[in-house]
Amino acid sequence: MAHPDRFLLAGVMGWPVMHSRSPAFHNYWFRKHGLSGTYVPLAIRPGQLAGALRGLHPLAFAGVNVTIPHKQEAMKIVDEVDALARSIGAISCVVVRPDGSLAGTNNDCYGFIQAVKQEHPGWRADAGPAVVIGAGGGSRAVCYGLAQEGAKEIRLVNRTLERAQEIAREFGGAIRALPWRDRHDAIEGAATVVNTTSQGMVGNDALDLRLDRLPKRALAADIVYIPLETPFLAEARKRGNPTMNGLGMLLNQGRPAWRAWFGIEPEVTAELRAMVEKTI
Ligand code: ATR
């Protein structure tokens, strides 16, 4: 629960972390709810994560988000990892319990699915095959969410085939791992295609994916949000596909974090989105 007599503290641990837009929207929520508190970027070097997480309780932090490169390492440090984070294989959120113990969960999956439902209300996971490009932590959250929402076929393409095969083995069911060279063909007949690689992010090359076989009604989604429109999304939009960038996933994953930290479920509104977009 929120404590009116206490200054509320949360943050994001990453390295690098200063590019993160999380402080912008979490601090907007503090203002919106009239709470005294703050959300800070915490630049934690690799190797320093355990000490940093153990410091949260004495400093009276409610919890933190963890981001690159700490999402997997954090699993080994916290006292309890919930079933969802264990399945995904990464933690995105740490909650400090009253006794000082640390609980880890993953809200990225919720963030992605909630964003799709909010931005494309007619979208259905079982409308046709889904194609997921990439097999890192982001991919795991997206694949898990798509499967949970009822996707019957998920074609998982990754530069390193073994990583995709590992997810297919772990998650089973709908997921089929495909080699990188098959990516242009894999989108044939797809209803959804999601880029979860870092390709297209500012400073990186564009995702090398030909869209000529993608049905025009298919949703093209990217979990990258800097830039807001990656070359992949720009091309999809130009040929008439509905698109979704990664900002909605980022904003929506903050909601369950707030519920766990402060007992409040804040809203992802057009005003909040516009405020964050202005900073990108
Ligand atoms: P995250 O946890 O944020 O998803 P990650 O585990 O480093 O990050 O995963 C990054 C993804 O981008 C991986 O799927 C990676 O492919 P590999 O598994 O082959 O490394 C993918 N990726 C990174 N650079 C790439 C490139 N130049 N071309 C294609 N895929 C790339």
Side-chain angles (χ1 to χ4, degrees):
M1 284 304 291
H3 302 277
D5 57 334
R6 213 180 82 191
F7 191 76
L8 303 178
L9 281 168
V12 53
M13 293 184 175
W15 185 268
V17 78
M18 289 318 290
H19 69 282
S20 171
R21 297 310 193 264
S22 290
F25 74 87
H26 284 281
N27 285 320
Y28 168 95
W29 282 337
F30 280 120
R31 289 193 299 276
K32 202 80 191 164
H33 289 270
L35 295 167
S36 61
T38 195
Y39 182 104
V40 286
L42 297 161
I44 308 299
R45 290 171 189 275
Q48 300 285 310
L49 185 65
L53 286 173
R54 290 295 166 203
L56 290 174
H57 180 60
L59 288 168
F61 268 71
V64 285
N65 289 120
V66 286
T67 188
I68 293 173
H70 300 312
K71 285 189 173 188
Q72 270 149 12
E73 186 62 21
M75 288 190 60
K76 301 182 205 147
I77 298 166
V78 299
D79 302 294
E80 197 182 314
V81 178
D82 71 8
L84 173 66
R86 235 179 296 128
S87 303
I88 294 171
I91 283 177
S92 72
C93 178
V94 174
V95 180
V96 182
R97 292 171 170 150
D99 67 356
S101 64
L102 303 173
T105 187
N106 192 310
N107 298 323
D108 291 341
C109 169
Y110 169 87
F112 177 74
I113 295 299
Q114 191 64 20
V116 186
K117 289 182 175 175
Q118 193 175 39
E119 296 173 41
H120 298 275
W123 177 86
R124 300 222 9 204
D126 60 0
V131 178
V132 177
I133 317 281
S139 167
R140 285 172 163 267
V142 168
C143 287
Y144 196 88
L146 290 171
Q148 222 176 19
E149 287 296 312
K152 294 194 177 61
E153 183 185 350
I154 300 171
R155 303 169 185 164
L156 180 57
V157 188
N158 193 45
R159 182 179 59 176
T160 310
L161 179 60
E162 293 74 42
R163 291 185 85 190
Q165 288 171 329
E166 201 176 308
I167 297 177
R169 242 192 330 272
E170 280 176 38
F171 290 15
I175 300 184
R176 190 153 56 93
L178 296 168
W180 189 238
R181 63 173 180 276
D182 289 357
R183 64 196 179 284
H184 311 296
D185 298 330
I187 60 176
E188 183 154 13
T192 308
V193 54
V194 191
N195 173 46
T196 71
T197 75
S198 44
Q199 297 300 89
M201 195 186 287
V202 63
N204 291 351
D205 290 337
L207 176 68
D208 176 14
L209 180 67
R210 285 200 312 269
L211 299 185
D212 46 312
R213 302 208 182 145
L214 186 69
K216 290 270 163 57
R217 62 185 181 285
L219 173 67
D222 208 316
I223 71 168
V224 171
Y225 64 93
I226 305 175
L228 288 166
E229 189 175 65
T230 57
F232 159 60
L233 290 189
E235 197 191 330
R237 177 177 55 78
K238 279 182 203 137
R239 64 194 295 282
N241 288 92
T243 62
M244 182 181 97
N245 65 34
L247 186 58
M249 176 176 177
L250 177 76
L251 299 176
N252 276 288
Q253 61 78 35
R255 301 181 69 212
W258 263 60
R259 190 176 346 109
W261 297 333
F262 309 126
I264 293 170
E265 189 142 21
E267 293 300 322
V268 174
T269 60
E271 183 186 84
L272 169 64
R273 184 182 286 271
M275 188 274 294
V276 180
E277 278 178 0
K278 261 191 245 148
T279 72
I280 296 175

